[in-house]
Amino acid sequence: MMLVAIAAVAAAVAADQLATGAAGRTGSVAADGVVLVTGATGRTGSLVYNALRNARGPHGVRALVRHRAKARKVLDCTECDEADGVFVGDVTHADDLEAPFAGVASAVILTSSMPYKLANGSWTYPPGGSPREVDWLGQDNQVAAARRAGAQRVVLVSSMGTTQPDSPLDKLGGGYALFYKAQGELSLLSSASALNFTIVKPAGLLDEPGGRRRLLVGRNDELARNRALMTVPRADVAALVVAALDARAPSNLRFDLASDPAGPPTTDLRELLTEARRLW
Ligand SMILES: *[C@@H]1O[C@H](CO)[C@@H](O)[C@H](O)[C@H]1NC(C)=O
Ligand SMILES: *[C@@H]1O[C@H](CO)[C@@H](O)[C@H](O)[C@H]1NC(C)=O
């Protein structure tokens, strides 16, 4: 219930920004055109998709999902079919990406490999779902599809922690998830001449309401020195992603995102993005 409320707030903010954006300047096509959210049925992806759908209506947002049944459960779509903007596909198959990316102005990449625990306590990844396949090659495929589609802006949610080789997360299931996520960021970074990018690298994700913490931006995992700051609610990540889609928001950014539960809540997300730019 709480998450729904937060998503609604994010949507209201987005709607307000879009309304002024459309009227206020030329070149705000990225804000006005269709946005595709991949990984849309994930816990963060569904928050982003539902906020955008709420703000832009069914013609303003598309979803790429692997299972339509899950889309019907967690997304605010009606038919949840292609006519309703919900596409079924796998990012490791480049052919699956043509239709969902066709004609989009911007894309939010929220796909991620997902480890799971075996009965004996070991962790593993599903066949075809390793970090190498999803976080590197799948990311590459998505950036290539965005470029072919002529998209202007791509927001990628990656992960903090990529400066530490052989981290516990890398070792999980032998997947080297953070190593491959850093590799996946590169295809987007090297497309900077063709599209505007925002790479958000969040700390540990929490399923709790957003809008209550002071959000912190950093670089090179420097925020990780203080363990007390090493989490961030998914709802805050989702709200920042929505803010980053606005054509007036600063872009060509790559930054860590964490939070201080004790700090005053961050209210101006565009200012936070501006601060992320100043870091570099
Ligand atoms: C658990 O099972 C998997 C698959 O059968 C195996 O590869 C792994 O080595 C096992 N882990 C332990 C700790 O025994
Ligand atoms: C990137 O953003 C700037 C500023 O909003 C805009 O002028 C430029 O056209 C954008 N680049 C692309 C490739 O859309």
Side-chain angles (χ1 to χ4, degrees), residues 6-7 9-17 48 51 153 198 200 210-217 232-246 248-251 253 255-259 264-278:
I6 297 304
V9 170
V13 170
D16 174 57
Q17 290 176 350
V48 171
R153 191 168 279 234
T198 307
V200 186
R212 294 185 177 177
R213 294 174 172 228
R214 179 170 167 233
L215 301 179
L216 306 167
V217 289
V232 63
R234 290 176 189 279
D236 287 324
V237 177
L240 189 61
V241 164
V242 170
L245 284 169
D246 191 298
R248 293 164 303 163
S251 66
L253 302 171
F255 58 91
D256 301 331
L257 177 67
S259 70
T266 296
T267 51
D268 190 339
L269 296 176
R270 193 177 302 162
E271 173 53 31
L272 192 69
L273 291 166
T274 305
E275 193 183 326
R277 155 154 297 160
R278 283 197 293 267

Coordinates of all heavy atoms in Angstrom, one line a residue, residues 6-7 9-17 48 51 153 198 200 210-217 232-246 248-251 253 255-259 264-278:
I6 N 3.7 5.9 -2.7 CA 5.0 6.6 -3.1 C 5.0 6.7 -4.6 O 5.4 7.7 -5.1 CB 6.2 5.7 -2.6 CG1 6.2 5.7 -1.1 CG2 7.5 6.3 -3.1 CD1 6.2 7.0 -0.4
A7 N 4.7 5.6 -5.3 CA 4.7 5.6 -6.8 C 3.8 6.7 -7.3 O 4.1 7.4 -8.2 CB 4.3 4.3 -7.3
V9 N 3.0 9.5 -5.7 CA 3.7 10.8 -5.5 C 4.7 11.0 -6.6 O 4.7 12.1 -7.2 CB 4.3 10.8 -4.1 CG1 5.2 12.0 -4.0 CG2 3.3 10.8 -3.0
A10 N 5.5 10.0 -6.9 CA 6.5 10.1 -8.0 C 5.8 10.5 -9.3 O 6.3 11.3 -10.1 CB 7.3 8.8 -8.1
A11 N 4.7 9.8 -9.5 CA 4.0 10.0 -10.8 C 3.4 11.5 -10.8 O 3.5 12.1 -11.9 CB 2.8 9.0 -10.9
A12 N 2.9 11.9 -9.7 CA 2.4 13.3 -9.7 C 3.5 14.3 -10.0 O 3.4 15.2 -10.7 CB 1.8 13.6 -8.3
V13 N 4.7 14.1 -9.3 CA 5.8 14.9 -9.6 C 6.2 14.9 -11.0 O 6.5 15.9 -11.7 CB 7.0 14.5 -8.7 CG1 8.3 15.2 -9.1 CG2 6.7 14.8 -7.2
A14 N 6.3 13.7 -11.6 CA 6.7 13.5 -13.0 C 5.7 14.2 -13.9 O 6.1 14.9 -14.8 CB 6.7 12.0 -13.4
A15 N 4.4 14.1 -13.6 CA 3.4 14.7 -14.4 C 3.6 16.2 -14.4 O 3.5 16.9 -15.5 CB 2.0 14.3 -13.9
D16 N 3.8 16.8 -13.2 CA 4.0 18.2 -13.1 C 5.2 18.6 -13.9 O 5.2 19.6 -14.6 CB 4.2 18.5 -11.6 CG 4.6 20.0 -11.4 OD1 3.8 20.8 -11.8 OD2 5.6 20.3 -10.8
Q17 N 6.3 17.9 -13.8 CA 7.6 18.3 -14.5 C 7.4 18.2 -16.0 O 7.9 19.0 -16.8 CB 8.7 17.4 -14.0 CG 9.1 17.7 -12.6 CD 10.2 16.7 -12.1 OE1 10.5 15.7 -12.7 NE2 10.8 17.1 -11.0
V48 N 8.9 2.1 -11.3 CA 9.1 3.1 -12.3 C 8.0 3.0 -13.4 O 7.5 4.1 -13.8 CB 10.5 2.8 -13.0 CG1 10.7 3.7 -14.2 CG2 11.6 3.1 -12.0
A51 N 4.7 4.4 -12.1 CA 4.7 5.9 -12.0 C 4.6 6.6 -13.3 O 3.8 7.5 -13.5 CB 6.0 6.3 -11.3
R153 N 17.7 9.4 -24.8 CA 18.1 9.3 -23.4 C 18.0 7.9 -22.9 O 16.9 7.3 -23.1 CB 17.3 10.3 -22.6 CG 17.7 10.6 -21.2 CD 17.0 11.7 -20.6 NE 17.6 13.0 -21.0 CZ 18.0 14.0 -20.2 NH1 17.8 13.8 -18.9 NH2 18.5 15.1 -20.6
T198 N 22.2 8.3 -18.1 CA 22.3 8.5 -16.7 C 22.5 7.1 -16.1 O 21.7 6.2 -16.3 CB 21.0 9.1 -16.1 OG1 20.7 10.3 -16.8 CG2 21.2 9.4 -14.6
V200 N 22.8 5.1 -12.7 CA 22.6 5.2 -11.3 C 23.1 3.9 -10.6 O 22.8 2.8 -11.1 CB 21.1 5.3 -10.9 CG1 20.9 5.6 -9.4 CG2 20.5 6.5 -11.7
G210 N 9.7 5.4 0.1 CA 10.6 6.4 -0.2 C 10.2 7.8 0.3 O 9.2 7.9 1.0
G211 N 11.1 8.8 0.0 CA 10.8 10.2 0.4 C 11.0 10.5 1.8 O 10.6 11.5 2.3
R212 N 11.7 9.6 2.6 CA 11.9 9.8 4.0 C 13.3 10.0 4.4 O 13.6 10.4 5.5 CB 11.4 8.6 4.8 CG 9.9 8.4 4.7 CD 9.5 7.3 5.6 NE 8.0 7.1 5.6 CZ 7.4 6.1 6.2 NH1 8.1 5.2 6.9 NH2 6.1 6.0 6.2
R213 N 14.2 9.7 3.5 CA 15.6 9.8 3.8 C 16.3 10.9 3.1 O 15.9 11.3 2.0 CB 16.3 8.4 3.4 CG 15.8 7.3 4.2 CD 16.5 6.0 3.7 NE 16.2 4.9 4.5 CZ 17.1 4.0 5.0 NH1 18.4 4.1 4.6 NH2 16.8 3.0 5.7
R214 N 17.5 11.2 3.6 CA 18.4 12.1 2.8 C 19.1 11.3 1.8 O 19.8 10.3 2.2 CB 19.4 12.8 3.8 CG 20.3 13.7 3.1 CD 21.1 14.6 4.1 NE 22.2 15.2 3.3 CZ 23.5 15.1 3.7 NH1 23.8 14.5 4.8 NH2 24.4 15.7 2.9
L215 N 19.0 11.6 0.6 CA 19.7 10.8 -0.5 C 21.1 11.4 -0.7 O 21.3 12.6 -0.7 CB 18.9 10.8 -1.8 CG 17.5 10.2 -1.7 CD1 16.7 10.3 -3.0 CD2 17.5 8.8 -1.1
L216 N 22.0 10.5 -0.9 CA 23.4 10.9 -1.0 C 24.0 10.4 -2.4 O 23.8 9.2 -2.7 CB 24.3 10.3 0.1 CG 23.8 10.5 1.5 CD1 24.5 9.6 2.5 CD2 24.0 12.0 1.9
V217 N 24.6 11.3 -3.1 CA 25.3 10.8 -4.3 C 26.8 10.8 -4.1 O 27.3 11.6 -3.3 CB 24.9 11.7 -5.5 CG1 23.5 11.5 -5.9 CG2 25.2 13.2 -5.2
V232 N 19.5 2.0 0.3 CA 18.6 3.1 -0.3 C 17.3 2.4 -0.7 O 17.3 1.3 -1.2 CB 19.3 3.8 -1.5 CG1 19.6 2.9 -2.6 CG2 18.5 5.0 -2.0
P233 N 16.2 3.0 -0.3 CA 14.9 2.4 -0.7 C 14.7 2.4 -2.2 O 15.0 3.3 -2.9 CB 13.9 3.3 -0.1 CG 14.6 4.0 1.1 CD 16.0 4.2 0.5
R234 N 14.1 1.3 -2.7 CA 13.8 1.2 -4.1 C 12.9 2.3 -4.6 O 13.1 2.8 -5.7 CB 13.1 -0.1 -4.4 CG 13.9 -1.4 -4.3 CD 13.0 -2.6 -4.5 NE 13.8 -3.8 -4.1 CZ 14.7 -4.4 -4.9 NH1 14.9 -3.9 -6.2 NH2 15.3 -5.4 -4.6
A235 N 12.0 2.7 -3.7 CA 11.1 3.8 -4.1 C 11.8 5.1 -4.4 O 11.4 5.9 -5.3 CB 10.0 4.0 -3.0
D236 N 12.9 5.3 -3.7 CA 13.7 6.5 -3.9 C 14.5 6.4 -5.3 O 14.7 7.4 -6.0 CB 14.7 6.8 -2.8 CG 13.9 7.3 -1.5 OD1 13.0 8.1 -1.7 OD2 14.3 7.0 -0.4
V237 N 15.0 5.2 -5.5 CA 15.7 5.0 -6.8 C 14.7 5.2 -7.9 O 15.0 5.9 -8.9 CB 16.2 3.5 -6.8 CG1 16.9 3.3 -8.2 CG2 17.2 3.3 -5.7
A238 N 13.5 4.7 -7.8 CA 12.5 4.8 -8.8 C 12.1 6.3 -9.1 O 12.1 6.7 -10.2 CB 11.2 4.0 -8.5
A239 N 12.0 7.0 -8.0 CA 11.7 8.5 -8.2 C 12.8 9.2 -8.8 O 12.6 10.1 -9.7 CB 11.4 9.1 -6.8
L240 N 14.0 8.8 -8.5 CA 15.2 9.5 -9.1 C 15.3 9.2 -10.6 O 15.6 10.0 -11.5 CB 16.5 9.1 -8.4 CG 17.7 9.9 -8.9 CD1 17.5 11.4 -8.6 CD2 19.0 9.4 -8.2
V241 N 14.9 7.9 -11.0 CA 14.9 7.5 -12.4 C 13.9 8.3 -13.1 O 14.2 8.8 -14.2 CB 14.6 6.0 -12.5 CG1 14.2 5.6 -13.9 CG2 15.8 5.2 -12.0
V242 N 12.7 8.5 -12.6 CA 11.7 9.3 -13.2 C 12.2 10.7 -13.4 O 12.0 11.3 -14.5 CB 10.4 9.2 -12.4 CG1 9.4 10.2 -13.0 CG2 9.8 7.8 -12.5
A243 N 12.8 11.3 -12.4 CA 13.3 12.6 -12.5 C 14.4 12.7 -13.6 O 14.5 13.7 -14.3 CB 13.9 13.1 -11.1
A244 N 15.2 11.7 -13.7 CA 16.3 11.7 -14.7 C 15.9 11.7 -16.1 O 16.6 12.0 -17.0 CB 17.3 10.5 -14.4
L245 N 14.6 11.2 -16.3 CA 14.1 11.1 -17.7 C 13.7 12.5 -18.2 O 13.5 12.7 -19.4 CB 12.8 10.2 -17.7 CG 13.1 8.7 -17.6 CD1 11.8 8.0 -17.4 CD2 13.8 8.2 -18.9
D246 N 13.5 13.5 -17.3 CA 13.1 14.8 -17.8 C 14.2 15.4 -18.6 O 15.3 15.4 -18.2 CB 12.8 15.7 -16.5 CG 12.1 16.9 -16.9 OD1 12.7 17.7 -17.7 OD2 10.9 17.2 -16.5
R248 N 15.0 18.3 -19.1 CA 15.7 19.4 -18.4 C 16.6 19.0 -17.3 O 17.4 19.8 -16.8 CB 14.7 20.4 -17.9 CG 13.8 21.1 -18.9 CD 12.6 21.7 -18.3 NE 11.8 20.7 -17.6 CZ 10.9 21.0 -16.7 NH1 10.7 22.3 -16.4 NH2 10.2 20.1 -16.1
A249 N 16.6 17.7 -16.9 CA 17.5 17.2 -15.9 C 18.9 17.0 -16.5 O 19.0 16.6 -17.6 CB 16.9 15.9 -15.4
P250 N 19.9 17.3 -15.7 CA 21.2 17.0 -16.2 C 21.4 15.6 -16.5 O 20.8 14.7 -15.9 CB 22.2 17.4 -15.0 CG 21.3 17.8 -13.9 CD 19.9 17.7 -14.3
S251 N 22.2 15.3 -17.6 CA 22.4 13.9 -18.0 C 23.9 13.7 -18.2 O 24.7 14.6 -17.9 CB 21.6 13.5 -19.2 OG 22.0 14.2 -20.3
L253 N 25.7 11.4 -16.7 CA 26.1 11.2 -15.3 C 26.3 9.7 -15.0 O 25.5 8.9 -15.5 CB 25.1 11.8 -14.4 CG 24.6 13.2 -14.5 CD1 23.4 13.5 -13.6 CD2 25.8 14.1 -14.2
F255 N 26.8 7.8 -11.2 CA 27.1 8.1 -9.8 C 26.5 7.1 -8.9 O 25.6 6.3 -9.3 CB 26.4 9.5 -9.4 CG 25.0 9.6 -9.7 CD1 24.0 9.2 -8.7 CD2 24.5 9.9 -11.0 CE1 22.7 9.3 -9.0 CE2 23.1 10.0 -11.2 CZ 22.2 9.6 -10.2
D256 N 27.1 7.0 -7.7 CA 26.6 6.1 -6.6 C 25.4 6.8 -5.9 O 25.4 8.0 -5.8 CB 27.7 5.8 -5.6 CG 28.9 5.2 -6.2 OD1 28.8 4.5 -7.2 OD2 30.0 5.4 -5.7
L257 N 24.5 5.9 -5.4 CA 23.3 6.5 -4.7 C 23.1 5.7 -3.4 O 23.0 4.5 -3.4 CB 22.1 6.4 -5.6 CG 20.8 6.8 -4.9 CD1 20.8 8.3 -4.7 CD2 19.6 6.5 -5.8
A258 N 23.2 6.4 -2.3 CA 23.0 5.8 -1.0 C 22.1 6.7 -0.2 O 21.5 7.6 -0.8 CB 24.3 5.6 -0.3
S259 N 21.9 6.5 1.1 CA 21.0 7.3 1.8 C 21.4 7.4 3.3 O 22.0 6.5 3.8 CB 19.6 6.9 1.7 OG 19.4 5.6 2.4
P264 N 17.6 14.9 6.9 CA 16.3 15.4 6.4 C 16.0 14.9 5.0 O 16.9 14.7 4.2 CB 16.5 16.9 6.4 CG 18.0 17.1 6.3 CD 18.7 15.9 6.9
P265 N 14.8 14.5 4.7 CA 14.4 13.9 3.4 C 14.8 14.8 2.3 O 14.6 16.0 2.3 CB 12.9 13.7 3.5 CG 12.6 13.7 5.0 CD 13.6 14.6 5.6
T266 N 15.3 14.2 1.2 CA 15.6 14.9 0.0 C 14.3 15.2 -0.8 O 13.6 14.2 -1.0 CB 16.6 14.1 -0.9 OG1 17.8 14.0 -0.1 CG2 16.9 14.8 -2.2
T267 N 14.1 16.4 -1.2 CA 12.9 16.7 -1.9 C 13.1 17.1 -3.3 O 12.3 16.8 -4.2 CB 12.1 17.8 -1.2 OG1 13.0 18.9 -1.0 CG2 11.5 17.4 0.2
D268 N 14.3 17.7 -3.6 CA 14.6 18.2 -4.9 C 15.5 17.2 -5.7 O 16.7 17.3 -5.5 CB 15.2 19.6 -4.9 CG 15.3 20.2 -6.2 OD1 15.2 19.5 -7.3 OD2 15.4 21.5 -6.3
L269 N 14.9 16.3 -6.5 CA 15.7 15.3 -7.1 C 16.5 15.8 -8.3 O 17.6 15.3 -8.6 CB 14.8 14.2 -7.6 CG 14.0 13.4 -6.5 CD1 13.1 12.4 -7.0 CD2 15.1 12.8 -5.5
R270 N 16.0 16.9 -8.9 CA 16.8 17.5 -10.0 C 18.1 18.1 -9.4 O 19.2 18.1 -10.0 CB 16.0 18.5 -10.8 CG 16.7 18.8 -12.1 CD 16.0 19.8 -13.0 NE 14.7 19.2 -13.3 CZ 13.7 20.0 -13.8 NH1 13.8 21.3 -13.9 NH2 12.5 19.4 -14.1
E271 N 17.9 18.7 -8.3 CA 19.1 19.3 -7.6 C 20.1 18.2 -7.2 O 21.3 18.4 -7.3 CB 18.7 20.1 -6.4 CG 19.8 20.6 -5.5 CD 20.9 21.4 -6.2 OE1 20.5 22.1 -7.2 OE2 22.1 21.4 -5.8
L272 N 19.6 17.0 -6.9 CA 20.5 15.9 -6.5 C 21.2 15.5 -7.8 O 22.4 15.1 -7.7 CB 19.6 14.7 -6.0 CG 20.4 13.6 -5.4 CD1 21.0 14.0 -4.0 CD2 19.5 12.4 -5.1
L273 N 20.6 15.5 -8.9 CA 21.3 15.1 -10.2 C 22.3 16.2 -10.5 O 23.4 15.9 -11.0 CB 20.3 15.0 -11.3 CG 19.3 13.8 -11.2 CD1 18.1 13.9 -12.2 CD2 20.1 12.5 -11.4
T274 N 22.0 17.4 -10.2 CA 23.0 18.5 -10.5 C 24.2 18.3 -9.6 O 25.4 18.5 -10.0 CB 22.3 19.9 -10.2 OG1 21.2 19.9 -11.0 CG2 23.3 21.0 -10.5
E275 N 23.9 17.9 -8.3 CA 25.0 17.6 -7.4 C 25.9 16.4 -7.9 O 27.1 16.4 -7.8 CB 24.4 17.3 -6.0 CG 25.4 17.3 -4.9 CD 24.7 16.8 -3.6 OE1 23.5 17.1 -3.4 OE2 25.4 16.2 -2.8
A276 N 25.2 15.4 -8.5 CA 26.0 14.3 -9.0 C 26.9 14.7 -10.2 O 28.0 14.2 -10.3 CB 25.0 13.2 -9.6
R277 N 26.5 15.7 -10.9 CA 27.3 16.3 -12.0 C 28.5 17.0 -11.4 O 29.7 16.8 -11.8 CB 26.5 17.2 -12.8 CG 27.4 18.2 -13.5 CD 26.9 18.7 -14.8 NE 26.7 17.7 -15.8 CZ 25.9 17.7 -16.8 NH1 25.2 18.8 -17.0 NH2 25.9 16.7 -17.6
R278 N 28.3 17.7 -10.3 CA 29.4 18.5 -9.7 C 30.5 17.6 -9.1 O 31.7 18.0 -9.0 CB 28.9 19.4 -8.6 CG 28.2 20.7 -9.1 CD 28.1 21.7 -8.0 NE 27.1 21.3 -6.9 CZ 25.8 21.6 -6.9 NH1 25.3 22.3 -7.9 NH2 25.1 21.2 -5.9

